[in-house]
Amino acid sequence: MLRSFNASEEAERLVSWLREVNATVLRRDGGVVGVSGGIDSATVLYLMVRALGAKRVVALIMPDRDSSTSSASLALEMAAQLGVEAIQTDLTDVLQAYGCYELRDKAVQHAIPEFDPRQDKAKIVLPENLLAEATLNIFSAVVVKPDGQQIRRRLSVTDLRQIVAASNMKQRVRMTRLYYEAELRNFSVVGTANKNEHDLGFFVKYGDGGVDVLPLKHLFKTQIYALAEYLGVPMAIIKRPPTTDTYSAECTQEEFFYRLPFDVLDSIWEADERQQAPEQIAKDLGLHIAQVENVLSDVRRKKHTTEYLRLEPITITYSYK
Amino acid sequence: MREMVKPNTRAIIRNYLTEALVSFNESVPDDALLEDHDLDSEQIVALVLFLEEQFHIYIGDEEITIDNLGSLHALVAFVDRKVK
C-alpha cells in the first residue's frame, strides 16, 4: 500500500467534487460511463452513483468481437446491482465497416506470415519483466495458434503503426457512441483513465482520452484497488487481471505496456515523487538500485515520448496590428 | 590488446542518427544520451533494423538496452563487438 492514502476520505472528496463539477462547471444533468468490466470503470460508476444518484448515471457497455464475454456480463451485473440504466451495444459491425480488423490483421500478417486471422488470435506486447532486464520498449507481435503454440516477432515501425492506428479506432468509436448517449440526455462523459494510464500515455487521444472529466487521473492503480474495495465494487471485478480488451488474444496490461506488476511500479514511482533517493527506495522494497533506476527511466521515457497525447490542440492568437 | 573502433562504423551510425533524429547533428558528442535526442521506441526499432541490415548482424531483444544503444559511443562499441 502506498503511503498516506485514505480510501474513504478520497471517495468522499471525489463524490463531492464530481457533484460540483457536473453541476457547475460542465452544467450537465448526469453522466455516462463507458463500462468495460474492469476495475477503473467500475470505480468511476460507483463514484458517479454516489455523487449523482443512479437515475442520473448511464453505463454504456460496448464490446466488439475481440472482447471477452465475461467483461460484458460482469458490467451488466454490476449496473443492475447499482440500479443504473445499462445500454449494451456491439461495435463489431461499425469497426468492420471502418476496416479496423482487416487493417490490423494485415499488418500482423505482414510481420508474421503464418498468422491466419480466421482461426488464430494475435496481440502486441513489450519485452517482459522490467525488473529482470533493462531492455528498451520495442513491440513484438504474438500470434496464438488454436493449439496454443505462440509465434513472436519484433514489429517494424510500419507494421506497429498500422496495428496501433487500426486498433485505436475501437476507442474512438466508443467515444463517439458515449457522446451520442450523453448528448441525448444532457449528460457528461466521465472518463476512467488513472494516473498510470494518463501520465505514461496508455490511452488513445480523442478515444478514451476524449471525455469531459477524469476523476481517477491523479490516482495510482494500487490506490484504485483500495478505493474500489471501499466503494463495494464486486470482488469478481477487483480480482480480474487488468487487460487491454483490445486484441483478439488475451493480453494483460502488464505484458502490453507496463512490464511489471502495479504494486511494484506504483511503489517505486510514488516514492520517487516524494523525492526519495533510488538507494532508499531499493532498500525499502528489497530491490537492487539498478532495478529501481530501470523502472524510473522507463517512467521518464514513457512520459516524455507520449507528451503529444496529453497536449490540447495547439493554437495561435490573432495578432491585431 | 584494446579493440580498435572501426572508423567506418562510427561514420555510418553518426550519419544515420543525424538523418533520423531531428535534434542530433554533427556537434553532438559521441557520449550524449540518445534519449535526450528523442530516440523513442519507434526510432529504436528503426535503428535496430538499420544496424541489422547495414552490418549484417542479428540483434536479439535482450540486447536492445541503454547500455548497447544509449549513445553513439555505445552503439559503435556494440556493433563492433557484433561484427568482430
Side-chain angles (χ1 to χ4, degrees):
Chain A
M1 175 57 62
L2 305 183
R3 246 186 221 185
S4 54
F5 181 72
N6 183 319
S8 64
E9 272 176 24
E10 188 60 16
E12 297 321 313
R13 191 171 82 97
L14 279 167
V15 164
S16 30
W17 180 77
L18 277 168
R19 200 177 290 138
E20 173 78 11
V21 164
N22 213 60
T24 64
V25 182
L26 299 169
R27 297 199 301 274
R28 302 290 109 178
D29 300 325
V32 179
V33 185
V35 179
S36 66
I39 187 170
D40 298 331
S41 58
T43 304
V44 171
L45 191 69
Y46 271 72
L47 286 167
M48 282 297 286
V49 169
R50 282 203 182 200
L52 307 182
K55 290 206 178 335
R56 289 178 183 273
V57 180
V58 167
L60 190 52
I61 300 147
M62 297 171 284
D64 76 297
R65 71 178 200 195
D66 294 330
S67 309
S68 101
T69 46
S70 62
S71 300
S73 50
L74 280 168
L76 281 169
E77 241 172 72
M78 177 177 63
Q81 274 172 22
L82 285 168
V84 306
E85 181 186 356
I87 300 168
Q88 184 174 355
T89 175
D90 192 299
L91 302 179
T92 303
D93 289 347
V94 182
L95 291 165
Q96 191 126 37
Y98 267 142
C100 166
Y101 306 113
E102 199 189 339
L103 292 165
R104 180 197 63 186
D105 291 346
K106 261 189 191 161
V108 175
Q109 213 158 28
H110 187 252
I112 305 180
E114 301 94 315
F115 175 50
D116 178 356
R118 289 164 305 177
Q119 55 164 30
D120 303 338
K121 294 183 182 300
K123 60 184 171 183
I124 64 171
V125 297
L126 286 177
E128 287 155 28
N129 203 346
L130 190 59
L131 290 177
E133 49 184 35
T135 48
L136 295 163
N137 292 325
I138 49 154
F139 278 100
S140 298
V142 176
V143 163
V144 184
K145 291 281 178 190
D147 63 2
Q149 183 213 348
Q150 295 201 1
I151 307 168
R152 179 181 174 131
R153 277 191 209 129
R154 196 185 302 154
L155 281 165
S156 71
V157 174
T158 320
D159 291 339
L160 173 64
R161 283 184 184 165
Q162 185 163 327
I163 293 168
V164 172
S167 304
N168 285 355
M169 286 183 196
K170 293 189 179 195
Q171 284 81 1
R172 295 198 175 103
V173 167
R174 286 182 197 140
M175 184 271 286
T176 307
R177 189 61 206 243
L178 280 162
Y179 272 95
Y180 169 76
E181 298 297 342
E183 287 173 352
L184 213 55
R185 298 166 173 82
N186 194 40
F187 280 12
S188 59
V189 174
V190 187
T192 63
N194 55 51
K195 182 181 173 80
N196 306 59
E197 292 172 335
H198 181 269
D199 290 10
L200 303 186
F202 183 41
F203 68 93
V204 176
K205 192 168 188 172
Y206 305 122
D208 48 333
V211 294
D212 295 315
V213 57
L214 281 172
L216 304 183
K217 195 198 94 172
H218 61 302
L219 293 178
F220 288 105
K221 187 79 174 185
T222 36
Q223 293 173 323
I224 291 167
Y225 277 100
L227 194 59
E229 275 196 48
Y230 169 76
L231 291 166
V233 171
M235 286 315 277
I237 289 178
I238 294 177
K239 295 279 179 206
R240 293 180 87 201
T243 67
T244 61
D245 217 10
T246 296
Y247 295 100
S248 56
E250 274 197 16
C251 184
T252 67
Q253 291 183 4
E254 187 177 326
E255 61 180 336
F256 175 70
F257 190 75
Y258 293 110
R259 303 183 60 192
L260 74 169
F262 283 112
D263 56 343
V264 182
L265 168 63
D266 292 359
S267 302
I268 294 174
W269 186 1
E270 193 255 2
D272 181 63
E273 285 195 344
R274 282 190 283 109
Q275 317 278 314
Q276 289 250 306
E279 295 77 11
Q280 188 60 46
I281 302 173
K283 197 176 159 205
D284 291 347
L285 298 174
L287 297 169
H288 296 293
I289 297 170
Q291 291 176 309
V292 171
E293 280 170 347
N294 279 350
V295 174
L296 291 175
S297 298
D298 193 60
V299 166
R300 271 193 296 275
R301 223 172 281 130
K302 281 176 176 157
K303 275 185 184 177
H304 180 66
T305 55
T306 60
E307 229 166 57
Y308 147 84
L309 297 177
R310 289 176 293 275
L311 288 177
E312 294 288 318
I314 314 291
T315 58
I316 184 166
T317 49
Y318 190 78
S319 166
Y320 291 94
K321 283 191 180 159
Chain B
M1 195 178 113
R2 193 160 171 252
E3 285 293 326
M4 289 294 288
V5 170
K6 296 175 186 70
N8 207 25
T9 309
R10 180 181 173 279
I12 291 168
I13 300 176
R14 182 171 264 287
N15 272 348
Y16 173 84
L17 294 173
T18 306
E19 281 187 20
L21 305 177
V22 178
S23 65
F24 194 92
N25 55 43
E26 278 307 315
S27 64
V28 174
D30 284 14
D31 57 357
L33 288 177
L34 295 181
E35 61 182 326
D36 293 340
H37 292 275
D38 290 335
L39 182 80
D40 64 16
S41 60
E42 281 193 358
Q43 282 154 340
I44 292 166
V45 174
L47 171 64
V48 167
L49 195 66
F50 166 78
L51 296 174
E52 288 183 331
E53 283 176 357
Q54 182 70 39
F55 298 101
H56 308 290
I57 53 176
Y58 170 75
I59 301 173
D61 285 358
E62 69 291 347
E63 294 177 300
I64 302 174
T65 61
I66 283 284
D67 285 348
N68 291 335
L69 275 63
S71 65
L72 174 60
H73 181 79
L75 277 164
V76 172
F78 172 63
V79 169
D80 279 344
R81 273 200 311 277
K82 297 281 288 185
V83 294
K84 195 171 62 175

